Amino acid sequence: MIKRILVIRHDKIGDFVLYWPALSLLKAALPQASIEVFVAPVLKEFAEACPYIDRVIVDSGDDVAISAEFASRQYDAVIVSLSQFRIYKMIRHLDIPYKLAPKHNWYQYLYKHRADAQYKKGEACWRGGCMLVEHFLTQHGYPIPELPQQYWDMSAEREKWQEYYGRTGDEKLIFAHAGTGGSSGILAPADFANLLTQVNNNTQANCKFVLTYNGSEEVLAQEIFNILTAASIKVEMAKPLNSLADFAKSIVAADMFMAGSTGPLHIAGLHNVPTVGFYAGRRSAPKVRWQTLTQSHKRLAYTPPIGKKTGRNMALIDFKAAATDIADFLNTYDSKQ
């Protein structure tokens, strides 16, 4: 009987979010087991809020101490989702009966148990994590559960967070996050502001825009704020929160979340909030690969023309068409829930 499982997933916010479907499978199949996850320091409180995780171990950078902590937990199995040679060295001498790693990098052959975690063309990348867990469950004779339609039910706190963001009356809170997740080109503040202006003018919904940001992105958000304010459009800069976990919870207030390929966009997907993503135009189809966890009928995505010279030029997105799509969605939002 499996009582305690370690999952290695110590990377970026968006990548961690997209592992929630795999964690949900693991917890649903083994509800009595302790699901313990090794994460980066920035993810500590957010991971602790995850309903599928029972214990969080933070990457301190001290590999000897981390390995000792792993040993003290007496795991029945470890699933190495983010495979690195460093991780292999930390767990190779541990008395863990089952160690599973994905089939990539040469050191996959150092593991007795390996699984294909390469999602197929036309699939979202979160499928890779599920494939690893599905292999684990099949190997141990457990049926594979159904995935939930929504990964994080924070509906009980929605009204509280809407009040926090200043919603009044029948307003729709449209969150917009300046900046980019790195793989996409940046959406210029003027283009983003123009898009939001067109959406506001074209929709029948009573919109209030909430501009979220992190660190240096505040400058971009402020520029958008100034443009919308000058056009007499209802907008506010998001109030700072104490932690990533609080920010992640607060997104339940949103009626729509718009951003580049960023961690916040993926967090919105956990709440099944309608998402509008802007991605680089590449043949690898990042708008499919990096799609959010929101249900498909609540998900819009846009790219510039595919190509080396055009794919990262976000100014080439057809913002007029995007604004029309978004406004039409907001006009029929209630019927699409």
Side-chain angles (χ1 to χ4, degrees), residues 37-86:
V37 181
F38 179 60
V39 301
V42 69
L43 289 166
K44 179 181 183 294
E45 292 183 353
F46 183 31
E48 289 173 341
C50 176
Y52 314 114
I53 295 175
D54 298 293
R55 184 183 178 92
V56 174
I57 298 175
V58 177
D59 185 356
S60 64
D62 185 339
D63 292 4
V64 174
I66 293 167
S67 184
E69 183 171 3
F70 288 168
S72 71
R73 299 300 297 161
Q74 298 181 331
Y75 293 111
D76 298 299
V78 57
I79 299 175
V80 183
S81 178
L82 182 60
S83 183
Q84 299 172 335
F85 189 55
R86 173 198 174 205

Side-chain angles (χ1 to χ4, degrees), residues 125-156:
C125 64
W126 58 260
R127 270 293 302 148
C130 289
M131 291 168 69
L132 203 59
V133 169
E134 288 165 2
H135 179 91
F136 171 81
L137 294 176
T138 300
Q139 288 271 297
H140 288 82
Y142 292 96
I144 298 171
E146 293 286 331
L147 287 169
Q149 290 189 340
Q150 180 174 332
Y151 293 94
W152 203 12
D153 184 7
M154 294 293 298
S155 56

Side-chain angles (χ1 to χ4, degrees), residues 175-254:
F175 283 44
H177 190 91
T180 176
S183 60
S184 293
I186 192 168
L187 204 64
D191 287 336
F192 211 160
N194 180 54
L195 172 67
L196 299 182
T197 300
Q198 291 183 60
V199 169
N200 184 75
N201 294 341
N202 292 342
T203 185
Q204 298 166 11
N206 180 12
C207 294
K208 178 177 182 177
F209 297 98
V210 178
L211 306 181
T212 62
Y213 53 87
N214 180 45
S216 62
E217 295 169 341
E218 183 177 0
V219 175
L220 305 176
Q222 186 66 56
E223 188 173 341
I224 296 170
F225 176 86
N226 293 342
I227 295 171
L228 295 186
T229 300
S232 299
I233 293 173
K234 288 188 289 186
V235 60
E236 72 170 51
M237 299 281 281
K239 301 175 185 177
L241 286 159
N242 293 328
S243 69
L244 172 61
D246 283 343
F247 174 67
K249 292 174 183 177
S250 80
I251 292 178
V252 72

Side-chain angles (χ1 to χ4, degrees), residues 1 16 18 48 59 71 114 148 165 252 275 284 287 290-291 293 301 303 307:
M1 180 179 177
F16 174 74
L18 294 180
E48 289 173 341
D59 185 356
R114 303 182 298 275
Y165 285 112
V252 72
T275 56
S284 58
K287 72 176 183 180
W290 294 105
Q291 66 185 236
L293 296 171
T303 70

